[in-house]
Amino acid sequence: MSISADGKAITPRPGVLLRRGPGDVGCDFGQLITLPDLSATSPSLKRELEASLQAYRSAPYLQEFETPRLPCGMILRLILLSTWGDLHYIGLNGLEIYDNDGSPLLSSGKNSFRIAADPSSVNILPGLEGDIRLVDNLSNGVNETFDDTNMWLAPFTAINPRNAEMKRSKTNPYNVIHVLLDKPVGISCITLWNYSKTPARGVRELEIYLDENILYKGYLRKAPTELEFRGEGKPIATSVVFTKNEELFKRLAPKIYTEDGTKQSVMFTNERKSSVPISNVDIRQILLERPDTSVKGVK
């Protein structure tokens, strides 16, 4: 799209790239265009777009999924498939996206964005309207924490028969997080910090999409207890890497996590894999009343 004022162009000749709609009416997907906008002709954007067109190549390190090199896009979608055992709630401490230079995008404000979740948080539940574990906390940069006022928590919907009361779709019963970037970026890494207040409520298996193209399907490490974190240095974060830059990789490699050698015997290579079937879950636990949880405060 090209924009002009008083007959003069205030966007580059190729126009401004508009983000496609995420297909979720529960998400505010308005896009901010700063004027004058010269980003469409910037050398860094051109490099990112060119790199994103390169073919998938095997990385020099093992991840659960063979990832593309520097994918470039505007809509990041995370589908949360399972928890580390909790059947009623799912949460995360934080989320960060790194550009092609390895610089953080969300906590730095380098690229304007919107972040949304469906369900949005536990404050949609009766009696929890004032709970402050909101999705905006994921991008506040306070990630290695055990203070749940800086975390996000939502009702876990994937296998719960009470999904009807939250108007969950039968075709998409999972919890979803959207990050809507206002400008296309090349992504070198995505890091997620799992829910540490109650580790069983953390995300175990997830899928990551960029502009509806799958980037990754795999697992997040379970958050340690506070004693394990402070005393033994066990990490909370898991990184998914999309770069071959050796300097960046050395910095990010300690956060890469796989379940190879533990509970799975294959590595995903652009193939889908079924989640844990509901038949493997004790249905009696699902039918129990959802336990109470509440965090109130001033944000």
Side-chain angles (χ1 to χ4, degrees), residues 1 16 35 40 45 49 61 63 82 113 139 164-165 179 188 195 227 232 251 257-258 283 291 299:
M1 178 183 72
V16 176
L35 299 173
L45 177 58
L49 291 170
Y61 40 85
Q63 297 189 99
S82 63
F113 67 92
S139 59
E165 67 187 63
V179 180
S188 63
Y195 194 78
L227 181 62
E232 304 174 28
R251 177 156 57 92
Y257 172 77
T258 74
I283 194 69
K299 295 296 284 185

Side-chain angles (χ1 to χ4, degrees), residues 86-89 125 160-162 165 201 283-293:
D86 197 288
L87 300 175
H88 301 284
Y89 298 100
L125 298 175
N160 200 313
R162 295 189 181 85
E165 67 187 63
R201 294 176 177 176
I283 194 69
R284 292 171 298 178
Q285 296 183 50
I286 303 175
L287 295 176
L288 292 174
E289 289 297 320
R290 192 187 302 275
D292 292 336
T293 180

Side-chain angles (χ1 to χ4, degrees), residues 87-243:
L87 300 175
H88 301 284
Y89 298 100
I90 191 167
L92 288 167
N93 279 16
L95 164 67
E96 187 58 88
I97 303 170
Y98 298 87
D99 66 13
N100 62 317
D101 295 321
S103 301
L105 291 174
L106 304 187
S107 60
S108 68
K110 188 175 180 180
N111 190 328
S112 55
F113 67 92
R114 298 169 187 263
I115 187 167
D118 184 21
S120 59
S121 74
V122 289
N123 66 14
I124 68 168
L125 298 175
L128 295 180
E129 293 82 358
D131 197 284
I132 59 174
R133 288 170 289 185
L134 307 175
V135 70
D136 290 340
N137 291 343
L138 294 179
S139 59
N140 69 6
V142 184
N143 302 317
E144 295 191 341
T145 180
F146 291 83
D147 175 6
D148 47 1
T149 63
N150 285 299
M151 301 177 189
W152 167 74
L153 189 70
F156 180 47
T157 63
I159 57 175
N160 200 313
R162 295 189 181 85
N163 292 349
E165 67 187 63
M166 288 179 284
K167 300 180 181 180
R168 301 303 295 160
S169 165
K170 292 182 178 179
T171 58
N172 180 30
Y174 300 108
N175 294 76
V176 179
I177 297 173
H178 285 106
V179 180
L180 308 175
L181 301 166
D182 286 328
K183 296 179 181 179
V185 295
I187 297 175
S188 63
C189 176
I190 298 170
T191 298
L192 299 107
W193 287 262
N194 224 338
Y195 194 78
S196 58
K197 182 67 175 182
T198 309
R201 294 176 177 176
V203 177
R204 180 164 182 252
E205 188 177 8
L206 82 164
E207 294 177 343
I208 301 176
Y209 292 82
L210 184 65
D211 292 347
E212 300 306 313
N213 297 305
I214 189 165
L215 299 185
Y216 179 79
K217 180 168 182 176
Y219 301 90
L220 301 187
R221 59 168 42 92
K222 185 178 182 180
T225 64
E226 188 168 4
L227 181 62
E228 291 172 330
F229 175 72
R230 303 196 187 284
E232 304 174 28
K234 290 188 176 181
I236 299 175
T238 300
S239 290
V240 181
V241 180
F242 306 96
T243 181

